[in-house]
Amino acid sequence: MRPKTRRRLTQNVSRFYLGLGVFFVIGFLFFGTSSFFFAEEVPVNETPVNEAIRLSNGEVVTLHAWSYDMDKRTMRIRLSLDDAPGNTNDHVFRSVYKARPDSEKEVVLLYKRNDQYVLELENVPNDFDQLAVRIYGLDASQSIDALTHEERENGLLTSLYADRRTIEQANHSSSDETYSTRLFVEDELTETERQLEKAQQSVEVQRQQIKRLDRDKEELEGELPYLSLDEQVEQENEIFDLGRKRDELTLELEKLEQSVKALEEKQDKLRVRLRELSI
């Protein structure tokens, strides 16, 4: 090979490795600095709806709905807070934004009946990102504004979270007591219907199990005349066990049927209550 040709090949190989090196350097710089150009996705932080949260003091909190009115810039929260037996603490609500966790704001109490609450947060910006409603359990003689940071921490029962990306959009046009009561009754009716459907399915499963035991027992009894004495004794024990299991399932079925009846009665009462509230 002539010297000129070898020199050209050497130059081509050098350019190839040089280009490859530049490619890796650019790739490293791009991926290494991409966090400066692309914001990291913040995980959604929200409290599940209609899931009971048991607190350390024995109370149970259930978040029913959380909505945001962009025009009025108001946030509404509906929740149930079941007191523990013998608990005399007052419940105090405060809200905080994720960006300012140490700056608590007062929460407006729109509705309170027994253990049901409707809260409202005012002047919530459209870009609120994430926020939380803190629930404190305080002695009646305590003022939350007079507590130290440590005393606040000790009185904090739980925090409920909302995320701008998943919050329900709504029009907060009504805030009267009848409207709020109807919403809670609708929630209770929906939950009762869910429980009723589940109980009815359990009843049907139990009935099918009893029918299957009856078929198995009848089949074993039909085989008895064709067995030896020893086999008959063993088969009769199996028949006895099937009868015992059937009795147990029958008792469970009776309890399930009673639960279905109670849920049906509750469902009817709630429907009547809704009709009364709509008049």
Side-chain angles (χ1 to χ4, degrees):
M1 184 181 294
R2 289 176 298 178
K4 187 175 182 180
T5 303
R6 286 199 299 270
R7 188 164 51 253
R8 187 182 301 115
L9 288 175
T10 302
Q11 290 174 346
N12 290 339
V13 171
S14 299
R15 290 194 187 99
F16 171 77
Y17 283 110
L18 178 61
L20 187 64
V22 171
F23 172 79
F24 279 112
V25 170
I26 293 174
F28 175 79
L29 291 175
F30 174 80
F31 290 106
T33 60
S34 60
S35 59
F36 293 103
F37 303 101
F38 302 102
E40 293 184 7
E41 184 69 17
V42 178
V44 172
N45 187 16
E46 61 182 358
T47 300
V49 175
N50 293 325
E51 288 189 16
I53 303 172
R54 183 167 294 278
L55 308 178
S56 58
N57 66 347
E59 293 181 305
V60 176
V61 177
T62 304
L63 174 65
H64 296 289
W66 199 322
S67 62
Y68 180 59
D69 188 324
M70 294 186 65
D71 295 330
K72 295 184 177 66
R73 298 174 64 191
T74 56
M75 190 85 71
R76 283 193 186 173
I77 304 99
R78 287 194 299 111
L79 60 90
S80 297
L81 184 56
D82 298 332
D83 287 339
N87 183 21
T88 59
N89 286 345
D90 289 339
H91 295 108
V92 179
F93 304 92
R94 290 289 187 270
S95 67
V96 293
Y97 296 105
K98 179 183 177 182
R100 300 186 299 276
D102 295 327
S103 179
E104 290 187 341
K105 295 183 177 295
E106 291 190 4
V107 174
V108 178
L109 182 61
L110 291 182
Y111 173 91
K112 180 183 184 303
R113 174 173 291 184
N114 299 326
D115 59 349
Q116 297 172 338
Y117 297 80
V118 177
L119 312 176
E120 184 171 89
L121 282 58
E122 299 177 334
N123 300 318
V124 179
N126 291 333
D127 58 349
F128 67 87
D129 191 19
Q130 294 176 350
L131 59 80
V133 169
R134 294 172 177 172
I135 304 177
Y136 294 93
L138 304 179
D139 187 88
S141 62
Q142 293 178 303
S143 170
I144 190 168
D145 295 324
L147 299 180
T148 65
H149 178 76
E150 184 178 356
E151 289 172 333
R152 279 178 179 252
E153 289 291 327
N154 293 334
L156 181 62
L157 298 179
T158 191
S159 295
L160 306 178
Y161 299 95
D163 194 294
R164 180 180 56 82
R165 292 164 293 180
T166 58
I167 195 74
E168 176 188 352
Q169 303 296 318
N171 179 17
H172 298 158
S173 58
S174 177
S175 59
D176 62 37
E177 185 172 328
T178 301
Y179 176 76
S180 296
T181 302
R182 187 166 65 246
L183 290 177
F184 279 108
V185 174
E186 289 174 352
D187 283 343
E188 191 172 359
L189 178 58
T190 300
E191 178 62 18
T192 301
E193 290 173 342
R194 187 191 66 80
Q195 293 175 353
L196 177 58
E197 182 179 1
K198 186 177 179 179
Q200 289 172 335
Q201 291 174 351
S202 297
V203 165
E204 184 59 29
V205 170
Q206 204 81 338
R207 287 173 178 168
Q208 293 300 323
Q209 289 179 336
I210 291 174
K211 287 182 180 179
R212 186 163 58 251
L213 287 176
D214 288 340
R215 289 196 300 267
D216 293 343
K217 182 180 178 183
E218 184 179 353
E219 182 179 343
L220 292 177
E221 288 175 340
E223 296 174 352
L224 282 176
Y226 308 101
L227 301 177
S228 65
L229 290 178
D230 290 340
E231 290 174 335
Q232 286 181 359
V233 171
E234 184 177 348
Q235 191 115 320
E236 285 173 349
N237 288 334
E238 292 184 26
I239 293 172
F240 177 80
D241 288 338
L242 290 177
R244 180 175 53 79
K245 290 179 181 178
R246 188 191 191 283
D247 292 339
E248 293 174 354
L249 290 177
T250 301
L251 288 175
E252 293 177 4
L253 177 60
E254 291 175 356
K255 294 179 181 178
L256 286 171
E257 289 174 336
Q258 291 174 359
S259 297
V260 168
K261 183 179 179 181
L263 288 170
E264 288 174 339
E265 292 175 352
K266 183 178 180 180
Q267 182 185 53
D268 292 340
K269 291 179 180 178
L270 290 171
R271 286 174 174 170
V272 171
R273 178 64 172 150
L274 272 182
R275 287 196 294 269
E276 292 173 349
L277 290 169
S278 300
I279 297 175

